[in-house]
Amino acid sequence: MNIVIVSPEAVPFAKTGGLADVAGALLQGLSRTGHDAFLFMPLYRGVRGSIRPKEAARGQKIFMGERAYYFDILSQRNAFFISNDYFFDRDGLYGDSRGDFPDNPERFAFFCLSVLHATKILGIKPDIYHLHDWQTALLPLYRRELFTPADNAAAVLTIHNVGYQGIFPPETLPRLGISGKFFTIHGIEFHGNLNLLKAGILYSDRVTTVSPTYAHEITFPEYGFGLEGSLRWKGVTGILNGIDYDLWNPADDIHLKRNYTIQTLHGRAACKEELLSVCRLRDRSLPLIGSIGRIIAQKGYDLIADCLEDIIGLGANIVILGRGDRDIEQVLQRAAARFRDRVHVSTLFNEPLARKIYAGSDLFLMPSRYEPCGLAQMIAMRYGSIPIVRKTGGLADTVTDFNSGSPEGTGFLFHDADRNDLVECIKRALCVWKNKRDWNRLTRNAMRLRFSWEHSISQYSALYGSLVGRQRNVPQA
Ligand code: ADP
């Protein structure tokens, strides 16, 4: 099959979030399994310097609304880059220090149109367009409306976080060259605005997201951010992301004081020693909790801030690494200043320190309000740091609760996003930590788990197979 992956970012070219990992892993993995996979993404300023591209096509002209735009296509093996300096030669992918770029709808609508032209020019006959997030979500509508497709390609849209939808004022519509007939409640209208993700949901053939539990959750108002009705109508398939087990490996991680495996777990003690001394925390005999992530309410960092004193009272130390919301950061930093030898907070992006935390902490805290998939908890388990997570989305799909009766537990789960539930769960975890036999079993269980990309790729592959040649379920405009 010819699979055209259309993504606003992809590893190793440009990354701001997990979607880049998925797009990159799909490109590599699908090619290995005998498909012809092609990636299309914008040529951002940062990408230009990091690739050695060939020129695939020059000076292509397209119309979007009343205006003509031009683009070139550069390529490096099976990755194709849409080049237009006016839209993409900027610092930042979606915005800069002043916020989101105001012309983001035009930038990514243009990207979708260019990809449709590019596949034609390059003679690629897609069986599947695999789209990622709102930036690529207009492609099925454009394809249906502005092209007379010779092929019978199907469109799969993967939503990486339904909290980001690409909502813009209605005046944007003509600039994107989209007819007013689509601006209805059964089309791309959303509370008087334009919603690009909604267009993708309606006009794609299949919608997926990055874990089975999140796929279910987003069809309800609590998690659907207003799109639950459209998602329920379309149906959502959940396919769990993987992690790269070579990239995240405590046996050869150069940032660790001592490398270790499941057979040499005592190596973790040296990593904990080092982490405590890097963070200037005292009392090595106490359990150490780590947490790494974007400091935002979605990730539950306001809850962590609320229960820091409880954590100290329960006799644990805590190390937090992340940046995000200034207000939450400040609360955490004030606590770190007050309990200098028990709490450490670093608001940097620092991968070496992240690796030391995965290896040196006993427990890993991730109390997300919602979590489409989550990588940090998978990495923590790979390194033998036991997750304490809220039972939601990908966290619920990757962590199994431990109680002394269950031999297969890998962490601790709690239900409600409130301080009481979280503190009770931490208490339970700290109790188990005191029993070295149980703790050892838990650590081994966690380290043995595998969430491989191969497994995800084979699920995507089966999904593509099920779509080829089928009748489609899209609304009539
Ligand atoms: P997200 O919603 O941000 O994609 P994930 O858990 O899926 O959350 O992935 C977060 C990734 O980013 C993990 O690999 C984590 O180690 C890394 N990370 C997050 N914040 C930091 C930071 N401040 N320094 C280093 N790595 C970080």
Side-chain angles (χ1 to χ4, degrees), residues 15-19 21 160-161 241 243 248 291-296 298-299 301 320-323 346-355 358 364 366 368 370-379 395:
K15 170 170 172 168
T16 69
L19 100 100
D21 293 306
H160 296 266
N161 185 336
N241 289 342
I243 58 169
W248 296 103
S291 187
I292 304 167
R294 290 178 289 128
I295 307 284
I296 53 175
Q298 182 214 317
K299 299 277 176 189
Y301 277 101
I320 297 171
L321 169 65
R323 49 186 193 181
S346 167
T347 53
L348 302 169
F349 192 95
N350 182 338
E351 191 172 317
L353 179 58
R355 289 173 176 273
Y358 288 124
F364 190 82
M366 200 163 166
S368 306
Y370 73 93
E371 192 59 73
C373 177
L375 297 179
Q377 84 282 9
M378 299 195 221
I379 301 170
L395 299 175

Short mmCIF file of all heavy atoms in Angstrom, two decimals, residues 15-19 21 160-161 241 243 248 291-296 298-299 301 320-323 346-355 358 364 366 368 370-379 395, ligand 1:
data_model
loop_
_atom_site.label_atom_id
_atom_site.label_comp_id
_atom_site.label_asym_id
_atom_site.label_seq_id
_atom_site.Cartn_x
_atom_site.Cartn_y
_atom_site.Cartn_z
N LYS A 15 10.24 18.74 16.27
CA LYS A 15 9.42 18.14 17.33
C LYS A 15 9.04 19.16 18.39
O LYS A 15 9.89 19.88 18.90
CB LYS A 15 10.20 17.00 17.98
CG LYS A 15 9.53 16.48 19.24
CD LYS A 15 10.15 15.20 19.76
CE LYS A 15 9.54 14.88 21.12
NZ LYS A 15 9.81 13.57 21.61
N THR A 16 7.74 19.25 18.70
CA THR A 16 7.33 19.95 19.91
C THR A 16 6.56 19.03 20.84
O THR A 16 6.36 19.34 21.99
CB THR A 16 6.44 21.19 19.63
OG1 THR A 16 5.16 20.72 19.15
CG2 THR A 16 7.04 22.13 18.61
N GLY A 17 6.11 17.87 20.34
CA GLY A 17 5.33 16.97 21.20
C GLY A 17 5.33 15.55 20.67
O GLY A 17 6.02 15.23 19.68
N GLY A 18 4.52 14.71 21.33
CA GLY A 18 4.51 13.28 21.03
C GLY A 18 4.09 12.96 19.61
O GLY A 18 4.46 11.91 19.07
N LEU A 19 3.35 13.85 18.96
CA LEU A 19 2.90 13.54 17.60
C LEU A 19 4.08 13.39 16.66
O LEU A 19 4.04 12.60 15.71
CB LEU A 19 1.89 14.59 17.12
CG LEU A 19 2.28 15.73 16.21
CD1 LEU A 19 1.89 15.41 14.79
CD2 LEU A 19 1.53 16.97 16.64
N ASP A 21 6.90 12.01 17.41
CA ASP A 21 7.40 10.65 17.60
C ASP A 21 6.56 9.66 16.80
O ASP A 21 7.09 8.74 16.18
CB ASP A 21 7.35 10.26 19.08
CG ASP A 21 8.33 11.07 19.90
OD1 ASP A 21 9.52 11.08 19.55
OD2 ASP A 21 7.90 11.70 20.88
N HIS A 160 -4.03 13.72 18.59
CA HIS A 160 -3.06 13.49 19.66
C HIS A 160 -3.47 14.16 20.96
O HIS A 160 -2.95 13.82 22.03
CB HIS A 160 -1.67 13.96 19.21
CG HIS A 160 -1.17 13.15 18.04
ND1 HIS A 160 -0.35 12.05 18.20
CD2 HIS A 160 -1.43 13.22 16.72
CE1 HIS A 160 -0.10 11.51 17.01
NE2 HIS A 160 -0.75 12.20 16.09
N ASN A 161 -4.37 15.15 20.88
CA ASN A 161 -4.89 15.80 22.09
C ASN A 161 -6.09 16.63 21.66
O ASN A 161 -5.92 17.61 20.93
CB ASN A 161 -3.80 16.69 22.72
CG ASN A 161 -4.25 17.29 24.05
OD1 ASN A 161 -5.44 17.44 24.31
ND2 ASN A 161 -3.29 17.63 24.89
N ASN A 241 0.58 4.54 21.68
CA ASN A 241 1.94 4.85 21.22
C ASN A 241 2.94 3.90 21.84
O ASN A 241 2.66 3.26 22.86
CB ASN A 241 2.33 6.26 21.64
CG ASN A 241 1.59 7.33 20.86
OD1 ASN A 241 1.04 7.06 19.80
ND2 ASN A 241 1.58 8.55 21.40
N ILE A 243 7.37 3.41 22.92
CA ILE A 243 8.60 4.18 23.14
C ILE A 243 9.75 3.43 22.48
O ILE A 243 9.65 2.23 22.19
CB ILE A 243 8.91 4.44 24.64
CG1 ILE A 243 9.04 3.13 25.43
CG2 ILE A 243 7.90 5.36 25.27
CD1 ILE A 243 9.59 3.33 26.85
N TRP A 248 15.84 4.71 25.22
CA TRP A 248 15.59 4.78 26.66
C TRP A 248 15.99 3.46 27.28
O TRP A 248 15.18 2.55 27.39
CB TRP A 248 14.11 5.07 26.94
CG TRP A 248 13.66 6.40 26.43
CD1 TRP A 248 12.92 6.64 25.31
CD2 TRP A 248 13.91 7.68 27.03
NE1 TRP A 248 12.70 7.99 25.18
CE2 TRP A 248 13.29 8.65 26.21
CE3 TRP A 248 14.60 8.12 28.16
CZ2 TRP A 248 13.35 10.01 26.49
CZ3 TRP A 248 14.64 9.48 28.44
CH2 TRP A 248 14.03 10.41 27.61
N SER A 291 9.08 13.64 39.30
CA SER A 291 8.01 14.02 38.38
C SER A 291 8.59 14.87 37.27
O SER A 291 9.36 15.80 37.54
CB SER A 291 6.92 14.79 39.14
OG SER A 291 5.82 14.99 38.27
N ILE A 292 8.27 14.53 36.02
CA ILE A 292 8.81 15.26 34.86
C ILE A 292 7.66 15.54 33.91
O ILE A 292 6.93 14.61 33.56
CB ILE A 292 9.86 14.41 34.10
CG1 ILE A 292 10.99 13.97 35.03
CG2 ILE A 292 10.41 15.19 32.91
CD1 ILE A 292 11.88 12.88 34.44
N GLY A 293 7.51 16.79 33.49
CA GLY A 293 6.44 17.05 32.51
C GLY A 293 6.19 18.52 32.37
O GLY A 293 6.82 19.35 33.05
N ARG A 294 5.27 18.84 31.47
CA ARG A 294 4.88 20.24 31.33
C ARG A 294 4.09 20.64 32.56
O ARG A 294 3.15 19.95 32.94
CB ARG A 294 4.05 20.42 30.05
CG ARG A 294 4.90 20.26 28.79
CD ARG A 294 4.09 20.38 27.52
NE ARG A 294 3.20 19.26 27.30
CZ ARG A 294 1.90 19.36 27.06
NH1 ARG A 294 1.34 20.54 26.99
NH2 ARG A 294 1.16 18.28 26.85
N ILE A 295 4.51 21.76 33.18
CA ILE A 295 3.88 22.18 34.45
C ILE A 295 2.56 22.88 34.12
O ILE A 295 2.49 24.12 34.08
CB ILE A 295 4.82 23.13 35.23
CG1 ILE A 295 6.20 22.50 35.42
CG2 ILE A 295 4.23 23.55 36.57
CD1 ILE A 295 6.29 21.44 36.45
N ILE A 296 1.54 22.09 33.87
CA ILE A 296 0.23 22.66 33.53
C ILE A 296 -0.85 21.88 34.28
O ILE A 296 -0.59 20.78 34.79
CB ILE A 296 -0.05 22.61 32.01
CG1 ILE A 296 0.14 21.18 31.46
CG2 ILE A 296 0.83 23.58 31.26
CD1 ILE A 296 -0.23 21.01 30.00
N GLN A 298 -3.42 20.37 33.09
CA GLN A 298 -3.74 19.08 32.46
C GLN A 298 -2.94 17.94 33.08
O GLN A 298 -3.42 16.83 33.27
CB GLN A 298 -3.46 19.12 30.94
CG GLN A 298 -3.85 17.81 30.23
CD GLN A 298 -2.94 17.46 29.06
OE1 GLN A 298 -2.57 18.32 28.25
NE2 GLN A 298 -2.56 16.19 28.95
N LYS A 299 -1.68 18.24 33.41
CA LYS A 299 -0.80 17.21 33.96
C LYS A 299 -0.96 17.09 35.48
O LYS A 299 -0.23 16.32 36.12
CB LYS A 299 0.66 17.55 33.64
CG LYS A 299 0.96 17.61 32.15
CD LYS A 299 1.21 16.23 31.59
CE LYS A 299 1.42 16.27 30.08
NZ LYS A 299 1.46 14.94 29.48
N TYR A 301 -0.29 19.35 37.86
CA TYR A 301 0.76 19.94 38.72
C TYR A 301 0.19 20.87 39.78
O TYR A 301 0.82 21.10 40.80
CB TYR A 301 1.83 20.65 37.87
CG TYR A 301 2.86 19.66 37.37
CD1 TYR A 301 2.81 19.18 36.07
CD2 TYR A 301 3.83 19.14 38.22
CE1 TYR A 301 3.71 18.23 35.62
CE2 TYR A 301 4.74 18.19 37.79
CZ TYR A 301 4.67 17.74 36.49
OH TYR A 301 5.56 16.78 36.07
N ILE A 320 11.08 17.68 41.09
CA ILE A 320 10.19 18.01 39.97
C ILE A 320 11.00 18.71 38.88
O ILE A 320 11.75 19.65 39.16
CB ILE A 320 9.04 18.93 40.44
CG1 ILE A 320 8.18 18.20 41.48
CG2 ILE A 320 8.18 19.39 39.26
CD1 ILE A 320 7.16 19.09 42.18
N LEU A 321 10.84 18.24 37.64
CA LEU A 321 11.51 18.87 36.50
C LEU A 321 10.47 19.20 35.45
O LEU A 321 9.75 18.31 34.97
CB LEU A 321 12.55 17.91 35.90
CG LEU A 321 13.15 18.32 34.55
CD1 LEU A 321 13.96 19.61 34.65
CD2 LEU A 321 14.03 17.20 33.98
N GLY A 322 10.35 20.47 35.10
CA GLY A 322 9.41 20.82 34.04
C GLY A 322 9.19 22.31 34.00
O GLY A 322 9.59 23.04 34.90
N ARG A 323 8.59 22.75 32.90
CA ARG A 323 8.23 24.17 32.84
C ARG A 323 6.87 24.32 32.17
O ARG A 323 6.40 23.40 31.51
CB ARG A 323 9.29 24.99 32.15
CG ARG A 323 9.73 24.43 30.85
CD ARG A 323 10.88 25.24 30.33
NE ARG A 323 11.09 24.88 28.94
CZ ARG A 323 12.03 25.39 28.20
NH1 ARG A 323 12.84 26.28 28.68
NH2 ARG A 323 12.17 25.02 26.94
N SER A 346 13.14 22.12 39.33
CA SER A 346 13.95 22.73 38.28
C SER A 346 13.04 23.06 37.11
O SER A 346 12.35 22.19 36.58
CB SER A 346 15.05 21.75 37.85
OG SER A 346 15.61 22.20 36.65
N THR A 347 13.02 24.34 36.70
CA THR A 347 12.11 24.73 35.62
C THR A 347 12.88 24.88 34.30
O THR A 347 12.68 25.82 33.54
CB THR A 347 11.38 26.04 35.95
OG1 THR A 347 12.35 27.02 36.29
CG2 THR A 347 10.41 25.87 37.08
N LEU A 348 13.76 23.94 34.04
CA LEU A 348 14.50 23.92 32.78
C LEU A 348 13.99 22.78 31.92
O LEU A 348 13.28 21.90 32.41
CB LEU A 348 15.99 23.65 33.05
CG LEU A 348 16.70 24.61 33.98
CD1 LEU A 348 18.06 24.06 34.35
CD2 LEU A 348 16.82 25.97 33.29
N PHE A 349 14.37 22.80 30.63
CA PHE A 349 14.21 21.57 29.84
C PHE A 349 15.58 20.93 29.83
O PHE A 349 16.53 21.48 29.29
CB PHE A 349 13.72 21.86 28.41
CG PHE A 349 13.30 20.60 27.72
CD1 PHE A 349 11.97 20.20 27.72
CD2 PHE A 349 14.23 19.77 27.11
CE1 PHE A 349 11.57 19.01 27.12
CE2 PHE A 349 13.85 18.58 26.51
CZ PHE A 349 12.50 18.21 26.52
N ASN A 350 15.71 19.80 30.50
CA ASN A 350 17.04 19.25 30.74
C ASN A 350 16.98 17.73 30.66
O ASN A 350 16.60 17.04 31.60
CB ASN A 350 17.49 19.71 32.14
CG ASN A 350 18.88 19.25 32.48
OD1 ASN A 350 19.39 18.29 31.91
ND2 ASN A 350 19.50 19.94 33.43
N GLU A 351 17.31 17.20 29.45
CA GLU A 351 17.16 15.76 29.26
C GLU A 351 18.11 14.93 30.12
O GLU A 351 17.71 13.91 30.70
CB GLU A 351 17.29 15.38 27.79
CG GLU A 351 16.87 13.93 27.59
CD GLU A 351 16.76 13.48 26.15
OE1 GLU A 351 16.22 14.24 25.34
OE2 GLU A 351 17.23 12.36 25.87
N PRO A 352 19.39 15.33 30.28
CA PRO A 352 20.26 14.55 31.17
C PRO A 352 19.68 14.45 32.58
O PRO A 352 19.68 13.36 33.19
CB PRO A 352 21.56 15.33 31.16
CG PRO A 352 21.58 16.02 29.83
CD PRO A 352 20.15 16.36 29.54
N LEU A 353 19.14 15.56 33.10
CA LEU A 353 18.55 15.51 34.44
C LEU A 353 17.31 14.62 34.44
O LEU A 353 17.07 13.85 35.38
CB LEU A 353 18.21 16.92 34.95
CG LEU A 353 17.57 16.98 36.34
CD1 LEU A 353 18.46 16.32 37.41
CD2 LEU A 353 17.25 18.43 36.76
N ALA A 354 16.52 14.70 33.36
CA ALA A 354 15.32 13.84 33.26
C ALA A 354 15.74 12.37 33.39
O ALA A 354 15.14 11.58 34.13
CB ALA A 354 14.59 14.08 31.94
N ARG A 355 16.79 12.00 32.70
CA ARG A 355 17.24 10.60 32.73
C ARG A 355 17.71 10.21 34.13
O ARG A 355 17.46 9.09 34.59
CB ARG A 355 18.35 10.39 31.69
CG ARG A 355 17.82 10.45 30.26
CD ARG A 355 18.93 10.42 29.23
NE ARG A 355 18.39 10.39 27.87
CZ ARG A 355 18.04 9.28 27.22
NH1 ARG A 355 18.22 8.11 27.79
NH2 ARG A 355 17.55 9.34 26.00
N TYR A 358 14.54 9.56 36.13
CA TYR A 358 13.92 8.26 35.86
C TYR A 358 14.70 7.14 36.57
O TYR A 358 14.12 6.19 37.09
CB TYR A 358 13.90 7.98 34.35
CG TYR A 358 12.90 8.81 33.56
CD1 TYR A 358 13.30 9.61 32.48
CD2 TYR A 358 11.54 8.79 33.88
CE1 TYR A 358 12.39 10.36 31.75
CE2 TYR A 358 10.61 9.54 33.15
CZ TYR A 358 11.05 10.33 32.09
OH TYR A 358 10.15 11.07 31.37
N PHE A 364 7.29 7.60 40.56
CA PHE A 364 7.15 8.63 39.53
C PHE A 364 5.71 9.13 39.53
O PHE A 364 4.78 8.36 39.30
CB PHE A 364 7.52 8.05 38.16
CG PHE A 364 7.63 9.10 37.11
CD1 PHE A 364 8.80 9.84 36.97
CD2 PHE A 364 6.56 9.37 36.26
CE1 PHE A 364 8.90 10.84 36.01
CE2 PHE A 364 6.66 10.37 35.30
CZ PHE A 364 7.83 11.10 35.17
N MET A 366 2.49 11.24 38.27
CA MET A 366 1.88 11.78 37.04
C MET A 366 0.36 11.80 37.20
O MET A 366 -0.34 10.96 36.66
CB MET A 366 2.31 10.87 35.86
CG MET A 366 2.19 11.51 34.51
SD MET A 366 3.16 10.57 33.32
CE MET A 366 2.52 11.24 31.79
N SER A 368 -2.27 13.24 35.95
CA SER A 368 -2.91 14.03 34.89
C SER A 368 -4.43 14.06 35.01
O SER A 368 -5.06 13.06 35.33
CB SER A 368 -2.56 13.44 33.53
OG SER A 368 -1.17 13.33 33.38
N TYR A 370 -6.25 14.69 32.28
CA TYR A 370 -6.46 13.79 31.15
C TYR A 370 -5.12 13.52 30.49
O TYR A 370 -4.18 14.32 30.62
CB TYR A 370 -7.51 14.34 30.16
CG TYR A 370 -7.08 15.52 29.31
CD1 TYR A 370 -6.53 15.32 28.04
CD2 TYR A 370 -7.24 16.83 29.75
CE1 TYR A 370 -6.17 16.39 27.25
CE2 TYR A 370 -6.88 17.91 28.97
CZ TYR A 370 -6.33 17.69 27.71
OH TYR A 370 -5.96 18.75 26.93
N GLU A 371 -4.98 12.39 29.84
CA GLU A 371 -3.69 12.01 29.28
C GLU A 371 -3.92 11.15 28.04
O GLU A 371 -4.23 9.96 28.15
CB GLU A 371 -2.87 11.23 30.32
CG GLU A 371 -1.42 11.03 29.96
CD GLU A 371 -0.69 12.36 29.77
OE1 GLU A 371 -0.41 13.06 30.76
OE2 GLU A 371 -0.41 12.68 28.60
N PRO A 372 -3.81 11.76 26.84
CA PRO A 372 -4.08 10.98 25.62
C PRO A 372 -3.29 9.66 25.59
O PRO A 372 -3.86 8.61 25.35
CB PRO A 372 -3.66 11.93 24.50
CG PRO A 372 -3.88 13.30 25.08
CD PRO A 372 -3.54 13.17 26.54
N CYS A 373 -1.99 9.73 25.82
CA CYS A 373 -1.20 8.49 25.94
C CYS A 373 -0.21 8.62 27.08
O CYS A 373 -0.30 7.92 28.07
CB CYS A 373 -0.47 8.17 24.62
SG CYS A 373 0.55 6.70 24.80
N GLY A 374 0.72 9.58 26.94
CA GLY A 374 1.75 9.75 27.97
C GLY A 374 2.93 8.85 27.70
O GLY A 374 2.78 7.64 27.53
N LEU A 375 4.11 9.47 27.63
CA LEU A 375 5.33 8.69 27.43
C LEU A 375 6.09 8.56 28.74
O LEU A 375 6.74 7.55 29.01
CB LEU A 375 6.25 9.40 26.43
CG LEU A 375 5.74 9.58 25.02
CD1 LEU A 375 6.75 10.33 24.18
CD2 LEU A 375 5.45 8.22 24.41
N ALA A 376 6.00 9.61 29.58
CA ALA A 376 6.85 9.68 30.76
C ALA A 376 6.63 8.46 31.67
O ALA A 376 7.60 7.90 32.21
CB ALA A 376 6.60 10.97 31.51
N GLN A 377 5.39 8.03 31.84
CA GLN A 377 5.15 6.88 32.73
C GLN A 377 5.75 5.59 32.14
O GLN A 377 6.21 4.73 32.88
CB GLN A 377 3.65 6.72 33.02
CG GLN A 377 2.81 5.96 32.01
CD GLN A 377 2.47 6.81 30.78
OE1 GLN A 377 2.97 7.90 30.58
NE2 GLN A 377 1.60 6.29 29.92
N MET A 378 5.77 5.50 30.79
CA MET A 378 6.35 4.30 30.16
C MET A 378 7.87 4.30 30.35
O MET A 378 8.47 3.28 30.63
CB MET A 378 6.03 4.26 28.67
CG MET A 378 4.57 4.19 28.32
SD MET A 378 4.42 3.71 26.58
CE MET A 378 3.11 4.76 26.03
N ILE A 379 8.46 5.49 30.19
CA ILE A 379 9.91 5.59 30.38
C ILE A 379 10.26 5.29 31.84
O ILE A 379 11.21 4.56 32.13
CB ILE A 379 10.41 7.00 29.98
CG1 ILE A 379 10.07 7.30 28.53
CG2 ILE A 379 11.91 7.11 30.21
CD1 ILE A 379 10.29 8.76 28.12
N LEU A 395 -2.65 6.48 30.69
CA LEU A 395 -2.12 6.06 32.00
C LEU A 395 -2.86 4.79 32.45
O LEU A 395 -2.25 3.83 32.94
CB LEU A 395 -2.29 7.17 33.04
CG LEU A 395 -1.56 8.48 32.72
CD1 LEU A 395 -1.90 9.55 33.75
CD2 LEU A 395 -0.05 8.26 32.68
P1 ADP B 1 3.44 15.42 26.64
O1 ADP B 1 1.98 15.62 26.88
O2 ADP B 1 4.22 16.63 27.04
O3 ADP B 1 3.77 14.93 25.25
P2 ADP B 1 4.54 12.88 27.54
O4 ADP B 1 4.59 12.22 28.84
O5 ADP B 1 3.86 12.14 26.43
O6 ADP B 1 3.88 14.31 27.73
O7 ADP B 1 6.01 13.20 27.03
C1 ADP B 1 6.83 14.07 27.73
C2 ADP B 1 8.26 13.82 27.28
O8 ADP B 1 9.01 15.02 27.45
C3 ADP B 1 8.96 12.77 28.14
O9 ADP B 1 9.92 12.12 27.33
C4 ADP B 1 9.66 13.60 29.22
O10 ADP B 1 10.84 12.94 29.70
C5 ADP B 1 10.04 14.84 28.41
N1 ADP B 1 10.09 16.08 29.21
C6 ADP B 1 9.05 16.83 29.62
N2 ADP B 1 9.47 17.91 30.30
C7 ADP B 1 10.82 17.84 30.33
C8 ADP B 1 11.85 18.68 30.88
N3 ADP B 1 11.55 19.81 31.52
N4 ADP B 1 13.13 18.31 30.71
C9 ADP B 1 13.43 17.16 30.05
N5 ADP B 1 12.52 16.35 29.49
C10 ADP B 1 11.21 16.67 29.63
#
